[in-house]
Amino acid sequence: MAVVVVTDSSASLPADLVDELAIAVVPLHVLVGDQAIREGIDAVDIDYGSDAVSTSGASPGELRAVYEQALTRSDGDGVVAVHLSRQLSGTWEAGRQAVREMAAEDRVHLVDSLGAGLATGLPVLAAARRAKTGAPLAEVYATAVSASREARTFILVNRTEQLRRGGRLSAAASFFGSELVTKPLLQIVEGRLELREKVRTRSKAYAKLVAAAVESAHGAGATVAVQHLGAEDAANTVAGQLREKLPDLRELIVTEFGPTLAVHLGVGAVGVVVIPA
């Protein structure tokens, strides 16, 4: 058949692309009290500002079940599993445990995307499109690794309290001063979420976000994704500015952050992922 690409639900991929490229998605979990909600499967209202809401990754058993199904579906061609950064979640490590239990290291290749959201999703798309051409396992894996290393991620948030509470911000980003008068612009560096700079006003913060993305694109042919939580107008404005400043984009995706990322980023967050040509 062909190599099958697997990811987790934090990749935030649009459903039509998941279906078109036959990508297998493992749900992560939002924990509300004693209730575990499977992202992308269970429908429920979530208060993203509540201290009672947290998240958890996929278990080795959950990952193993999907890997085995994907391996069967590949007809022996193999599986490439691309997951969110191991610095931000235990999902990649759980995947490694699952592969060891399967004794399938030669048939199931794991990739740490070094990111989250569409910083995971864009490498997944690149790998799945490569797999669709009939490329062998090694080439599909190399495509995912290359895209993961090249991706640049920038995120504008209203507050960092939820990120700090969840341990997702590096120690270097622990001091922000008053967040009432500054807007934190974050970036992901080698899989870790760090402070890029503090900006005084929201309009300047959006300008900085767009400028960082344009600089990272290195000219024509870049792939770009814009994500948001409850900030559709702002995301569309950012996307429009990127189209204007980067008229030769290869692809531009605009979508919402999934619940497992939204819990940590908070309402109003807007992020941009760029993979240069």
Side-chain angles (χ1 to χ4, degrees), residues 29-52:
H29 308 94
V30 177
L31 308 178
V32 182
D34 58 358
Q35 183 181 12
I37 301 162
R38 296 170 297 172
E39 182 175 34
I41 296 177
D42 302 324
V44 67
D45 290 331
I46 299 171
D47 178 2
Y48 290 114
S50 171
D51 291 346

Side-chain angles (χ1 to χ4, degrees), residues 3-6 21 23 80-82 111 121-133 135-136 139-145 147:
V3 173
V4 174
V5 177
V6 176
L21 296 168
I23 298 165
V80 172
V82 186
V111 178
L122 293 186
V124 169
L125 292 180
R129 286 165 175 158
R130 186 69 177 144
K132 196 172 182 179
T133 70
E139 289 186 17
V140 177
Y141 171 75
T143 298
V145 170

Side-chain angles (χ1 to χ4, degrees), residues 1-4 70-80 106-109 131 134-138 140:
M1 182 172 165
V3 173
V4 174
L71 194 56
T72 298
R73 186 154 58 89
S74 79
D75 245 355
D77 285 346
V79 172
V80 172
D106 60 332
R107 295 170 293 149
V108 181
H109 292 184
L137 180 61
V140 177

Side-chain angles (χ1 to χ4, degrees), residues 152-168:
R152 299 293 178 265
T153 304
F154 310 97
I155 307 170
L156 178 63
V157 296
N158 285 326
R159 303 294 297 273
T160 62
E161 179 183 350
Q162 289 157 284
L163 286 166
R164 287 187 284 186
R165 187 174 63 221
R168 264 67 181 186

Side-chain angles (χ1 to χ4, degrees), residues 4-140:
V4 174
V5 177
V6 176
T7 191
D8 55 74
S9 58
S10 75
S12 307
L13 287 170
D16 58 336
L17 291 176
V18 170
D19 292 341
E20 175 191 339
L21 296 168
I23 298 165
V25 181
V26 184
L28 303 188
H29 308 94
V30 177
L31 308 178
V32 182
D34 58 358
Q35 183 181 12
I37 301 162
R38 296 170 297 172
E39 182 175 34
I41 296 177
D42 302 324
V44 67
D45 290 331
I46 299 171
D47 178 2
Y48 290 114
S50 171
D51 291 346
V53 180
S54 60
T55 61
S56 69
S59 70
E62 291 171 315
L63 291 159
R64 177 172 179 170
V66 176
Y67 294 167
E68 287 177 338
Q69 291 168 5
L71 194 56
T72 298
R73 186 154 58 89
S74 79
D75 245 355
D77 285 346
V79 172
V80 172
V82 186
H83 294 298
L84 78 165
S85 168
R86 73 184 85 177
Q87 304 284 347
L88 302 174
S89 168
T91 298
W92 184 91
E93 189 60 46
R96 185 166 69 165
Q97 181 178 334
V99 173
R100 285 175 174 169
E101 290 173 357
M102 293 168 62
E105 289 90 339
D106 60 332
R107 295 170 293 149
V108 181
H109 292 184
L110 290 185
V111 178
D112 179 348
S113 72
L114 304 174
L118 281 168
T120 301
L122 293 186
V124 169
L125 292 180
R129 286 165 175 158
R130 186 69 177 144
K132 196 172 182 179
T133 70
L137 180 61
E139 289 186 17
V140 177

